[in-house]
Structures are given as C-alpha cells and as structure tokens.
Amino acid sequence: MDIVTMTVERLQASELVGMPVYARKEPHKIDGTGGLYVVVKDAGPWGTSQHHTRLKRVVRVDLYADCERDEFNHPAEDDAAVRAWAAWAGIDRELHDLNHGWIAVCSSLRSDEPSEIDIPGAEYSVLLSGRYEVSV
C-alpha cells in the first residue's frame, strides 16, 4: 500500500476529521457546496540515505472549504477560512504524530505550516495546503 492511500485511510477512520477524504485529485469543485473535503497527494521524497531502506515521502494535504450556505445556496457568512482552520486542527492531530500512534508508519511529522489561499474563480472558498513527512 502506498503512503497516500495509508494517509487517506488514516484520515477517513479518524473521529477528529469528520469530512470526506480523497486520494490524488479533487472529486468536484468546492464553491457553492457549503462543504469541506480533503485531498491527499504525493509530494515526493524528503530525504535519502545509502544505509536506510525506509520509504520516506512527503504527502501534501489540501483542505478545500466553502462558506456556510442558506437554504437558497447563497452565502450565509464569509467564513470559509474560519471553517478550514478549525477542520485543519483535526488533520494535524492525526498526522503530526509525535506519540507514534500510527502503527503502520515509523514517523509522521508536519513539514511546514499550512498556507491559505483563495481559490481562483471561487467566491467564498479557500484552500489550506500543508505537508507532512511520512516514513514507513
């Protein structure tokens, strides 16, 4: 099993995440949905060693968030960023695993803090993107 699939399964099983989690590509556009979802992608290797046989990869975690919507699908609040950051806390608690509670891997650590960007062409939607170094 590859690290992206392992990461997706870890997040899907977590009670801390509570949103759909997908591997490698977005299932649909987020704007106009009022929802949240996560996409996990492989971002390449993070180190090499001639004496080390562990697979060491960086996974990129993209959290897409739209604002809350009313019954007519109009924006109820401009709160996509607030919702995204609140949801990110659960993802980070699962993947920044200092206690080594993730039995399938040797280590999983936050590589950098997530960046927040407005999604081009999508009003009231944001993307948080961060990276984690995972070794199996």
Side-chain angles (χ1 to χ4, degrees):
M1 182 180 310
D2 68 288
I3 290 179
V4 169
T5 302
M6 291 171 60
T7 304
V8 167
E9 288 179 359
R10 171 97 174 167
L11 294 175
Q12 287 173 335
S14 172
E15 294 178 7
L16 300 172
V17 176
M19 71 190 87
V21 182
Y22 303 99
R24 296 184 175 81
K25 70 182 251 187
E26 303 80 37
H28 53 78
K29 292 184 178 188
I30 193 67
D31 59 311
T33 66
L36 300 160
Y37 64 77
V38 175
V39 179
V40 179
K41 300 175 182 179
D42 187 325
W46 60 271
T48 61
S49 171
Q50 295 175 355
H51 309 290
H52 199 297
T53 59
R54 289 187 183 141
L55 178 61
K56 300 187 298 185
R57 304 296 293 178
V58 175
V59 292
R60 189 173 90 209
V61 178
D62 293 338
L63 189 154
Y64 293 82
D66 191 36
C67 68
E68 293 215 32
R69 304 263 170 184
D70 65 18
E71 64 272 11
F72 304 107
N73 206 32
H74 297 117
E77 283 189 52
D78 189 5
D79 64 347
V82 171
R83 297 177 75 217
W85 283 104
W88 189 268
I91 292 168
D92 192 60
R93 284 183 27 207
E94 285 296 334
L95 298 182
H96 187 61
D97 187 11
L98 299 176
N99 296 322
H100 304 290
W102 191 358
I103 296 169
V105 303
C106 296
S107 67
S108 175
L109 300 171
R110 183 184 327 107
S111 177
D112 55 21
E113 294 299 320
S115 58
E116 175 188 327
I117 61 167
D118 292 327
I119 299 172
E123 276 191 289
Y124 307 105
S125 299
V126 299
L127 167 66
L128 288 185
S129 185
R131 300 180 317 157
Y132 292 84
E133 298 170 355
V134 181
S135 176
V136 295

